[in-house]
Amino acid sequence: VFRGWWGSERQFGDQFVPLGGAKRFVQSNPSALCLATLLGSLEVFEVTSIDAVRGESYRMCMLFRDLVKDLVDSKHLQILTPAEYERSGAQLTLLFPKHNHESVFKQLRQQGIVTDTRHTSIRIAFVALYNDDGDVRALSDALHAILSS
């Protein structure tokens, strides 16, 4: 059994009394192998900056807003996330006043579009490190097809 020092009820002494569930496997330090996998993701910032990544993500969010403006105007789609750069993040929260959001979520998933659903909304995020305008257009096209049926 792989036991973590911080996974014991007793931090000192010679007895290991495991905590319940996954907590019993907690280590004090991440393994070197796990940390090595992070190196590649950090190396990207040698050629760009977090501000550039954020700017590109925001640009894609604004492109999406432009592409679905007709759906918003016709009340098939509501975007809860503020459009202002200072008030928005990388994610947009979408409501579907005339449609069941679970149905929209499932239809998007069937088309290979990964989103997140919470309560009565769907959340989308355009991540500049691996999304591009083609992904933005694909989502827009899919929503147009789904919401017009």
Side-chain angles (χ1 to χ4, degrees):
V1 174
F2 184 66
R3 297 178 177 153
W5 174 258
W6 297 106
S8 176
E9 288 183 11
R10 297 184 185 145
Q11 296 301 314
F12 303 100
D14 59 358
Q15 279 192 317
F16 181 81
V17 180
L19 294 170
K23 288 183 180 179
R24 71 181 59 200
F25 301 107
V26 174
Q27 301 286 311
S28 62
N29 296 318
S31 73
L33 187 58
C34 290
L35 290 175
T37 62
L38 297 175
L39 186 58
S41 65
L42 294 175
E43 288 173 346
V44 73
F45 292 103
E46 291 178 9
V47 295
T48 191
S49 68
I50 195 68
D51 290 335
V53 172
R54 165 75 173 115
E56 182 63 10
S57 174
Y58 180 75
R59 187 195 64 74
M60 286 190 282
C61 286
M62 294 308 290
L63 172 61
F64 176 77
R65 286 176 183 274
D66 287 343
L67 294 171
V68 298
K69 185 177 183 328
D70 61 319
L71 294 175
V72 172
D73 291 345
S74 64
K75 308 291 187 215
H76 285 278
L77 174 66
Q78 181 182 2
I79 302 174
L80 293 183
T81 309
E84 298 83 14
Y85 185 86
E86 300 78 23
R87 297 182 59 218
S88 67
Q91 154 217 299
L92 298 176
T93 300
L94 311 178
L95 292 178
F96 303 91
K98 298 180 180 181
H99 303 272
N100 178 294
H101 83 285
E102 286 290 340
S103 175
V104 173
F105 174 79
K106 288 177 185 173
Q107 290 178 67
L108 289 171
R109 180 66 69 151
Q110 289 170 348
Q111 295 181 48
I113 298 173
V114 178
T115 63
D116 180 32
T117 182
R118 300 289 168 106
H119 309 290
T120 60
S121 66
I122 290 178
R123 299 188 311 178
I124 61 170
F126 300 112
V127 182
L129 295 175
Y130 54 86
N131 290 127
D132 60 24
D133 289 0
D135 297 316
V136 178
R137 292 181 196 290
L139 176 58
S140 170
D141 292 347
L143 284 176
H144 276 90
I146 292 166
L147 301 180
S148 68
S149 61

